[in-house]
Amino acid sequence: MELVRWNPHRRLTNFNDRFGSLFDNFSYPTLRHDDTVTHGDWHPVVDIYEDEGAFVVTAEIPGVDKKDIEIDVKDRVLTLRGERLSDRASKEDTYYRRERSYGKFERTFSLPENVNADTIEASFKDGVLKLEIPKPEEIKPKSITVH
């Protein structure tokens, strides 16, 4: 997945497709993320934005311990993976409704060229993972003073 600017109107263009698929997939538990439908697994939702000096990725990963999160960078691909374990305190037959998903997850993102993987910083607080990816020098805007 390339870093692409968010466009709030993009989701409106395929409303008919999404609404039609609601009935097609009525009998299957599904999770929607971007333009894909996945069955039986989950992916943390992310926001990706840029500020003056870095690209920032925030991922919602509630219920996952930070020791169970893996972050790898290889060949300009950032991979986020881990596992949310099921709360087995209650037996299956005592649930009235069970909507939360559990299991392993993996998300991958393409990074811009010349990003130094050693400079990426990660923090985790209140179930939100934040990755700060410093921009390479070529991408940073440079101001030139006119004399």
Side-chain angles (χ1 to χ4, degrees):
M1 170 190 279
E2 290 290 327
L3 290 177
V4 178
R5 273 200 203 282
W6 178 66
N7 178 356
H9 303 292
R10 181 173 63 102
R11 291 195 181 266
L12 294 176
T13 59
N14 60 359
F15 176 77
N16 287 336
D17 294 338
R18 288 176 184 255
F19 189 76
S21 67
L22 173 70
F23 296 104
D24 294 339
N25 297 313
F26 186 76
S27 61
Y28 298 103
T30 62
L31 297 172
R32 260 193 204 282
H33 295 286
D34 292 327
D35 296 323
T36 61
V37 176
T38 56
H39 297 272
D41 60 348
W42 74 284
H43 301 283
V45 294
V46 299
D47 289 337
I48 301 174
Y49 62 94
E50 69 178 291
D51 61 19
E52 201 171 294
F55 298 103
V56 181
V57 177
T58 57
E60 292 181 1
I61 316 176
V64 177
D65 195 310
K66 71 179 182 178
K67 68 177 176 47
D68 296 327
I69 300 170
E70 295 177 35
I71 304 164
D72 298 321
V73 177
K74 182 179 179 184
D75 299 328
R76 290 185 41 223
V77 175
L78 174 77
T79 303
L80 168 63
R81 70 175 64 89
E83 182 173 9
R84 181 163 53 192
L85 301 174
S86 175
D87 178 17
R88 295 292 181 181
S90 299
K91 295 188 298 186
E92 290 290 327
D93 58 351
T94 62
Y95 279 91
Y96 290 97
R97 186 175 197 101
R98 188 167 187 162
E99 295 181 346
R100 296 188 305 159
S101 297
Y102 299 94
K104 294 183 180 186
F105 63 86
E106 183 172 310
R107 297 288 309 262
T108 58
F109 308 95
S110 295
L111 297 174
E113 290 184 38
N114 302 326
V115 167
N116 182 355
D118 296 331
T119 61
I120 297 174
E121 294 183 10
S123 60
F124 188 67
K125 182 180 178 185
D126 298 329
V128 177
L129 175 69
K130 181 177 182 181
L131 300 171
E132 294 188 41
I133 306 160
K135 292 181 184 177
E137 287 298 320
E138 299 83 41
I139 294 179
K140 289 183 183 176
K142 300 193 190 252
S143 59
I144 300 170
T145 307
V146 178
H147 299 282

